[in-house]
Amino acid sequence: MNNLNNNIAANLRYLRNHSRLSQEEVAQKTGVTRQAVAKWENGDSLPDICNCEALADLFEVSLNDLVRYNSKQNGVPIGPKDKYIFGTVTIGERGQIVLPKKARDTLHLKSGDTLVVLGDGNPATAGIALISSNTFLRMTGNTISAIFSSEEDKI
């Protein structure tokens, strides 16, 4: 139970500070007193389930993460709902990477699935993102299908 108090207290302190809200503002948005928020953040008491749900909604995190997420154990602060940091991968000699098992399991990826590789070449924001090809096509509609088919015609 004490570990649960510590997780909730640490998560609430981090989320409130990260959101740049005062204890009073959190109290107003969740319908409790500032003193209640202070007690939760100090680990002196626990919010009830309804207040936990209101806090999770306010900070856009999952209820489970608000209550159970341990940033010390995971090495990173609590993240937004349905957003994950799965760890790091090393690029092999031929450019291949292996997706972490937790990522494959969480996102229901299996052998043979197709991913679209997106990139940003700006040195200030350089990076690569992977997205399911089905999701990508849904997001972009037929516009991207036309681009891919016209590129193939040129080759």
Side-chain angles (χ1 to χ4, degrees), residues 74-110:
N74 291 310
V76 292
I78 187 172
K81 185 176 183 177
D82 295 328
K83 308 290 185 233
Y84 305 93
I85 297 176
F86 291 113
T88 60
V89 296
T90 302
I91 300 173
E93 289 179 24
R94 296 177 50 209
Q96 71 277 25
I97 62 170
V98 176
L99 299 177
K101 181 174 179 2
K102 186 173 181 180
R104 295 189 314 265
D105 292 346
T106 301
L107 301 174
H108 309 290
L109 299 173
K110 58 188 180 314

Side-chain angles (χ1 to χ4, degrees), residues 38-132:
K39 286 181 180 182
W40 299 338
E41 288 187 6
N42 289 331
D44 295 336
S45 67
L46 289 171
D48 66 25
I49 190 68
C50 293
N51 287 325
C52 282
E53 186 175 33
L55 290 162
D57 288 345
L58 173 65
F59 295 121
E60 298 179 347
V61 297
S62 74
L63 182 57
N64 190 50
D65 279 349
L66 177 68
V67 174
R68 298 187 183 280
Y69 190 85
N70 184 329
S71 59
K72 287 182 183 175
Q73 181 180 352
N74 291 310
V76 292
I78 187 172
K81 185 176 183 177
D82 295 328
K83 308 290 185 233
Y84 305 93
I85 297 176
F86 291 113
T88 60
V89 296
T90 302
I91 300 173
E93 289 179 24
R94 296 177 50 209
Q96 71 277 25
I97 62 170
V98 176
L99 299 177
K101 181 174 179 2
K102 186 173 181 180
R104 295 189 314 265
D105 292 346
T106 301
L107 301 174
H108 309 290
L109 299 173
K110 58 188 180 314
S111 179
D113 286 350
T114 304
L115 302 174
V116 175
V117 180
L118 305 172
D120 182 346
N122 179 337
T125 58
I128 293 176
L130 303 173
I131 187 169
S132 153

Side-chain angles (χ1 to χ4, degrees), residues 133-134 136-153:
S133 59
N134 291 334
F136 187 73
L137 288 173
R138 266 196 324 271
M139 289 169 54
T140 59
N142 291 331
T143 306
I144 201 69
S145 297
I147 292 170
F148 282 141
S149 62
S150 66
E151 289 295 320
E152 290 172 359
D153 293 342

